[in-house]
Structures are given as structure tokens and as C-alpha cells.
């Protein structure tokens, strides 16, 4: 297992212009996987027994110009295609999943902090929080027992437009919806044609236009959207052929899709494998024009499942209703990935801030108009450090998930964690991380020639190395 991890991390070497920076990258990725707490990056020093004098050097790694998020993202996509059992549809398309998540932060001098509303029914969540809004793109991977969403890229997508415009006026100036689509296009440019799963928040005119533009420019790497519509969605039938002179009509009769659920004679029963078991659903599929002024033809699949009515939508007019329902059932996997990243990897436990950043204004917009060029450069570097930290968390999470799907037999069944009964023979990310945490130093001693072993040992003090040898 440790040799497999070393092979994956070694694939990133060419994307670092300095060897020392790559060594810190390898150490921090391993540290994020095995650390026992999420109290900042100091947890890496504690759990890997790194010399405390190297703390400042490790912090400088996140501000280094020797690597970038875009370069590591490209490498990570190629690594996943090479080592992960990527899930594909019947036509060979990879399955991408996109969504946003909010991380609560109230630091007074941290860039990108903004007031956000949380649309959650969970009583444990506040209605409004201060923090960062991240957009994430993941890819589905599977073995015979489990489907996981491996995170590809995660960036801050709100509250940073003015900061990014200091260096590049065109960088990430679109809305959260547009940026998610842009990130999906970046992934598709590397991985080929894809099916993109999104929730109903992303069914907008701008998202459909972005996807149509991408498909027109990249016929061999097309993106098909599968999403959900609001319950009050309105669509239109195709217009009839005109019987008189004049401009042809763009739409036909208005269809209130919610009213179709009362016409049970239109629905058919079907068996669909979703959420890990065979389920019976009732469905009705129809192709209609959507959105006033756009009038793009979409396939609407009305679904009745356990007393719940849902309206699914896809841009692929030839996709079967069974495929649409099954595909959308996989969208929730990204929520499980967010939980793993927050609770196990500690994606929200970053503490990067800059004294040059104006104090957070909770009642209005933070004024950055009077900043000097030096201050702007420092703030931009801090923002990059946050996104680099989050990118490493994505890689650490992805490595654990690849190990689950490819090396789960190495872990003893007695180490599986469960609440009441064993629901699966495949271990979770927690089990793999715990296994590596308990055996990492033994692996380092047994395989001292591996790159990650040499990097870790080189950054430890002699007393710590002696204690590791005794423990192994």
C-alpha cells in the first residue's frame, strides 16, 4: 500500500520547479492522510515527528511560486485516469459531479470572507454564516461494492473577484454557477466526454449556454448535463408549423409539469438500481422547450418514488429514463465526499491570513481600494495559499478513496468500523486512514528507499528517528 502511495505522489514531480517544494508536497499529503487532529498544519509536524524548526519553511510551501493549483489539477486528473477505477456510462463517458459547500470562517483579516445564506433543513446549521463558498468538481469511481466521488478541484468562488482581478481581470469573474461549469469543462478537456451531475440550483440559462458553447467547440469532448428542476417548473411544447405568412412561433403550448403528476395514466412502472439496491419507481418522460427566451429542448423525466415527486432534466434527448434516474441517484456521493473532507481530512481547518487585508466589515463591503501594490500581492498570495491547502486536501482524500477501491483486501476485516452491523466488506476512508496512521512508521523503516520515506526521515530530528526505529 505504501509503495502504491509513493507511486502516485511521484507522478506529481514534473509539476514542481523545485525539488525541495516537491518534498514538502509529499510530506504534507501524507501528513493530511494520517494526522490525528485538525488543528492547522501543525498537526503534520506532530504526527510525522517533523523537526519543529521547520514550521516556517512548511508555511512558506503554501506561498511558494514553484507550483500552482492549475498545474497540480492537470496532474491529478491524469493520475486518476491511470490509477483509479473510473466509472463510465454506456457510451464511455466519465461521470462528473459538481456542487458547492460553505466553510465557516470569521477571521478578521482573511481574504474572501463573505456572509452566506445556508439553505439547509438541518437545525444544527445557522441560517447565515461568515465564511468561504467553495465550488467542487469530482469524478465517480467504483469497484464491485462501492461508488465514491473523488474530488478533482475545489476553489473559492465568491467574494474574491476583486482580489483575482488585480492580476488577471478575466479570472473567475462569473457567478458560482458559471465557475462550476467552467471547472467541469477543464476536467472534460483532460478526461474526454462526460456526464455532469448537478442539483437544481445549477439549472440556469447561463449554465446551459456555457455547456452548449463548449459542446460546439469540442465535439469529441462533449458534456451532457443531468440535473433536477424545481417543482414549479414551466416548459413549452414545440410550435406547430405555421399555416400563414409571418415570423414562425418559437414555442407552443405552456406545460406546467407539476400538473402532470395527477395524470397517472401517463406513468409507467420500472425497476431501477439506485442507492445500492433495486427500487421500483413510476416515471413519465417527455421532451419540451425550456425557459422563456432560450427555448432549448430538454428531456424531462417525472419520477414518483416512495411518495415523493421529482422532476429530472437532461440535455441528452436520447438518454433513457432509467439512465437519467440512475445517474442522478449518484449525485449525492459528492455530499459524502464533503463530509469526509471536513471531518477526516480537515479541509476547513486552514488559518491563512494577512495583516495587509482590511478588517472584515460584517455590515457592508470590505474596502480594498486604498491598498498598495505590495499589500495586494500579499493578499493574493494568502488567497492562493488557502486554495493550495484545499487542493492538497482533495488529493489526500482522493488517495484514500483510490486505496479503498483498489487495495481494500489488505486491510483486515477485524479493523472495519461500524455502528451496529457490518453493511459492507469494503472499508471506509476512516479505516484506511487509521490503518496508515498505525503502520506508517513501520512502513518507513521497512521501505527506507521509497521517496516519501526519505522525505519524512530527512525532516525529522534524530531523537524522533530513534523513537520511530524502536516503535517499528
Amino acid at each position: 500500500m505504501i509503495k502504491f502511495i509513493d507511486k502516485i505522489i511521484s507522478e506529481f514531480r514534473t509539476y514542481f520547479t523545485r525539488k525541495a517544494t516537491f518534498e514538502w508536497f509529499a510530506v504534507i499529503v501524507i501528513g493530511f492522510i494520517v494526522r490525528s487532529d485538525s488543528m492547522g498544519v501543525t498537526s503534520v509536524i506532530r504526527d510525522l515527528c517533523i523537526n519543529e524548526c521547520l514550521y516556517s519553511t512548511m508555511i512558506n510551501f503554501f506561498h511558494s511560486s514553484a507550483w500552482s493549483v492549475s498545474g497540480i489539477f492537470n496532474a491529478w486528473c491524469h493520475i486518476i485516469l491511470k490509477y483509479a477505477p473510473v466509472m463510465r456510462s454506456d457510451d464511455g463517458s466519465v461521470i462528473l459531479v459538481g456542487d458547492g459547500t460553505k466553510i465557516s470562517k470569521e477571521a478578521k483579516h482573511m481574504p474572501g470572507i463573505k456572509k452566506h445564506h445556508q439553505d439547509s433543513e438541518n437545525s444544527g446549521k445557522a441560517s447565515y454564516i461568515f465564511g468561504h463558498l467553495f465550488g467542487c468538481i469530482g469524478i465517480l469511481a467504483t469497484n464491485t461494492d462501492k461508488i465514491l466521488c473523488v474530488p478533482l478541484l475545489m476553489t473559492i468562488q465568491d467574494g474574491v473577484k476583486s482580489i483575482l482581478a488585480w492580476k488577471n481581470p478575466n479570472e473567475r469573474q462569473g457567478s458560482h454557477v458559471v465557475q462550476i461549469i467552467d471547472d467541469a469543462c477543464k476536467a472534460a478537456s483532460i478526461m474526454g466526454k462526460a456526464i455532469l451531475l448537478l442539483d437544481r440550483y445549477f439549472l440556469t440559462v447561463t449554465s446551459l449556454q456555457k455547456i452548449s458553447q463548449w459542446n460546439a467547440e469540442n465535439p469529441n469532448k462533449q458534456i451532457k448535463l443531468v440535473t433536477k428542476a424545481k417543482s414549479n417548473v414551466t416548459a413549452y411544447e414545440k410550435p406547430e408549423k405555421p399555416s400563414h405568412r409571418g415570423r414562425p412561433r418559437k414555442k407552443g403550448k405552456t406545460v406546467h409539469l407539476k400538473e402532470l403528476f395527477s395524470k397517472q395514466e401517463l406513468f409507467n412502472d420500472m425497476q431501477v438500481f439506485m442507492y445500492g439496491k433495486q427500487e421500483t419507481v413510476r416515471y413519465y418522460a417527455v421532451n419540451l422547450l425550456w425557459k422563456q427566451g432560450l427555448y432549448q429542448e430538454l428531456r424531462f423525466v417525472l419520477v414518483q418514488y416512495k411518495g415523493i415527486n421529482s422532476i429530472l432534466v437532461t440535455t441528452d434527448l436520447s438518454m433513457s429514463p432509467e439512465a437519467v434516474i440512475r445517474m442522478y441517484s449518484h449525485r449525492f456521493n459528492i455530499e459524502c465526499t464533503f463530509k469526509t473532507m471536513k471531518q477526516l481530512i480537515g479541509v476547513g481547518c486552514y488559518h491563512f491570513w494577512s495583516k495587509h487585508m482590511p478588517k472584515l466589515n460584517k455590515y457592508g463591503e470590505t474596502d480594498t481600494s486604498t491598498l498598495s501594490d505590495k499589500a495586494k500581492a500579499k493578499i493574493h498570495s494568502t488567497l492562493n495559499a488557502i486554495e493550495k491547502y484545499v487542493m492538497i486536501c482533495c488529493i489526500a482524500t482522493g488517495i484514500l478513496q483510490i486505496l479503498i477501491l483498489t487495495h481494500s483486501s489488505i486491510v483486515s476485516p477485524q479493523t472495519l468500523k461500524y455502528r451496529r452491523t457490518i453493511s459492507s466488506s469494503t472499508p471506509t476512508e476512516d479505516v484506511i486512514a487509521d490503518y496508515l496512521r498505525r503502520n506508517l512508521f513501520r512502513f518507513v523503516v521497512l521501505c527506507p528507499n521509497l521517496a516519501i520515506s526519505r522525505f519524512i526521515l530527512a525532516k525529522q530530528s534524530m531523537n524522533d528517528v530513534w523513537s520511530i526505529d524502536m516503535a517499528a
Side-chain angles (χ1 to χ4, degrees):
M1 184 178 288
I2 195 67
K3 293 181 180 179
F4 183 72
I5 296 175
D6 183 79
K7 186 185 298 185
I8 290 177
I9 293 179
S10 298
E11 296 276 354
F12 290 97
R13 175 63 187 92
T14 56
Y15 292 85
F16 290 84
T17 58
R18 301 189 190 101
K19 181 182 177 183
T21 310
F22 170 69
E23 292 179 1
W24 271 115
F25 169 79
V27 170
I28 292 173
V29 169
I30 296 297
F32 280 13
I33 291 175
V34 304
R35 63 180 178 176
S36 57
D37 62 73
S38 300
M39 298 176 64
V41 295
T42 55
S43 58
V44 177
I45 290 180
R46 290 190 296 273
D47 288 314
L48 294 185
C49 301
I50 303 297
N51 193 327
E52 295 179 1
C53 298
L54 298 176
Y55 170 74
S56 298
T57 307
M58 184 172 66
I59 294 298
N60 291 335
F61 160 80
F62 293 97
H63 296 272
S64 173
S65 60
W67 68 291
S68 64
V69 172
S70 59
I72 296 300
F73 165 70
N74 290 335
W76 183 225
C77 288
H78 286 101
I79 288 170
I80 289 175
L81 288 177
K82 185 176 181 180
Y83 294 104
V86 175
M87 183 177 179
R88 295 182 181 271
S89 62
D90 296 336
D91 65 349
S93 301
V94 298
I95 303 172
L96 303 176
V97 189
D99 203 0
T101 184
K102 300 179 181 73
I103 294 178
S104 178
K105 290 288 178 182
E106 294 196 33
K108 296 179 180 179
H109 298 281
M110 185 178 289
I113 299 294
K114 190 175 179 181
K115 189 175 184 179
H116 297 285
H117 175 60
Q118 295 198 121
D119 298 320
S120 176
E121 298 178 356
N122 189 338
S123 60
K125 290 185 178 181
S127 298
Y128 290 91
I129 64 166
F130 283 91
H132 287 136
L133 170 63
F134 285 91
C136 180
I137 289 291
I139 185 171
L140 294 185
T142 183
N143 58 9
T144 56
D145 190 49
K146 202 165 220 176
I147 299 175
L148 297 173
C149 179
V150 182
L152 297 176
L153 179 65
M154 196 167 172
T155 56
I156 301 175
Q157 298 187 344
D158 197 10
V160 296
K161 292 182 180 180
S162 59
I163 298 175
L164 295 173
W166 292 337
K167 286 196 172 183
N168 186 358
N170 299 321
E171 184 177 2
R172 269 189 263 163
Q173 294 300 307
S175 64
H176 173 46
V177 173
V178 172
Q179 291 181 64
I180 286 286
I181 301 298
D182 286 339
D183 290 344
C185 292
K186 292 177 184 177
S189 66
I190 300 173
M191 298 187 164
K193 57 184 180 179
I195 296 175
L196 177 60
L197 310 180
L198 299 172
D199 65 14
R200 62 185 182 184
Y201 175 80
F202 296 93
L203 182 60
T204 64
V205 172
T206 52
S207 64
L208 292 178
Q209 289 175 337
K210 274 281 183 180
I211 292 175
S212 298
Q213 180 182 354
W214 170 264
N215 291 340
E217 296 173 355
N218 302 271
N220 296 326
K221 299 179 179 180
Q222 295 199 349
I223 296 177
K224 301 173 184 177
L225 178 64
V226 176
T227 182
K228 190 176 182 180
K230 295 181 180 179
S231 60
N232 61 348
V233 64
T234 300
Y236 308 95
E237 295 180 355
K238 290 184 178 180
E240 298 179 356
K241 292 184 178 180
S243 58
H244 52 79
R245 296 175 61 185
R247 187 177 64 180
R249 300 186 61 176
K250 295 183 178 180
K251 63 176 181 177
K253 295 180 180 179
T254 302
V255 180
H256 300 283
L257 292 172
K258 186 176 181 180
E259 298 176 357
L260 297 180
F261 285 104
S262 61
K263 301 179 181 180
Q264 288 298 307
E265 65 276 8
L266 299 175
F267 286 75
N268 297 312
D269 290 334
M270 178 174 56
Q271 293 287 325
V272 181
F273 187 82
M274 57 182 186
Y275 305 121
K277 56 184 178 180
Q278 205 76 13
E279 299 284 0
T280 301
V281 300
R282 290 179 60 78
Y283 76 94
Y284 170 62
V286 59
N287 294 352
L288 297 169
L289 305 179
W290 180 78
K291 203 63 178 177
Q292 186 100 14
L294 180 66
Y295 304 121
Q296 179 172 341
E297 188 174 6
L298 304 174
R299 166 157 284 199
F300 293 86
V301 181
L302 285 69
V303 183
Q304 291 182 322
Y305 171 65
K306 292 185 178 180
I308 300 175
N309 297 334
S310 301
I311 303 173
L312 305 183
V313 188
T314 179
T315 56
D316 185 3
L317 303 180
S318 62
M319 187 177 292
S320 66
E322 187 270 339
V324 174
I325 297 170
R326 178 166 43 84
M327 285 293 171
Y328 191 78
S329 69
H330 299 318
R331 193 207 68 83
F332 193 77
N333 285 279
I334 197 171
E335 305 291 350
C336 300
T337 298
F338 287 153
K339 179 183 177 182
T340 299
M341 294 180 70
K342 290 179 179 180
Q343 298 184 3
L344 178 64
I345 304 299
V347 70
C349 300
Y350 50 85
H351 302 282
F352 298 99
W353 59 277
S354 174
K355 65 180 180 180
H356 299 281
M357 183 69 192
K359 187 177 178 181
L360 174 66
N361 183 2
K362 292 189 175 183
Y363 303 100
E365 203 169 313
T366 304
D367 184 21
T368 59
S369 59
T370 59
L371 295 174
S372 64
D373 292 341
K374 178 182 178 181
K376 289 180 178 180
K378 292 290 186 181
I379 294 171
H380 195 276
S381 177
T382 303
L383 181 63
N384 282 340
I386 294 174
E387 294 192 338
K388 287 178 178 180
Y389 174 97
V390 174
M391 187 66 207
I392 292 179
C393 289
C394 291
I395 294 171
T397 304
I399 289 175
L400 286 177
Q401 292 174 329
I402 294 173
L403 290 174
I404 289 173
L405 300 174
T406 59
H407 290 71
S408 59
S409 59
I410 296 178
V411 182
S412 172
Q414 286 74 21
T415 62
L416 293 176
K417 296 180 180 179
Y418 55 92
R419 293 186 182 275
R420 293 186 179 179
T421 57
I422 299 178
S423 59
S424 173
S425 59
T426 304
T428 62
E429 292 92 336
D430 300 63
V431 173
I432 296 292
D434 183 66
Y435 174 80
L436 289 172
R437 188 179 302 119
R438 289 185 287 105
N439 294 278
L440 178 64
F441 291 144
R442 182 170 65 89
F443 292 150
V444 169
V445 173
L446 294 177
C447 305
N449 295 325
L450 293 179
I452 55 177
S453 299
R454 290 186 281 106
F455 298 159
I456 293 173
L457 290 172
K459 290 175 171 49
Q460 293 173 334
S461 63
M462 292 307 297
N463 293 332
D464 292 329
V465 174
W466 179 84
S467 62
I468 290 171
D469 287 336
M470 294 296 293

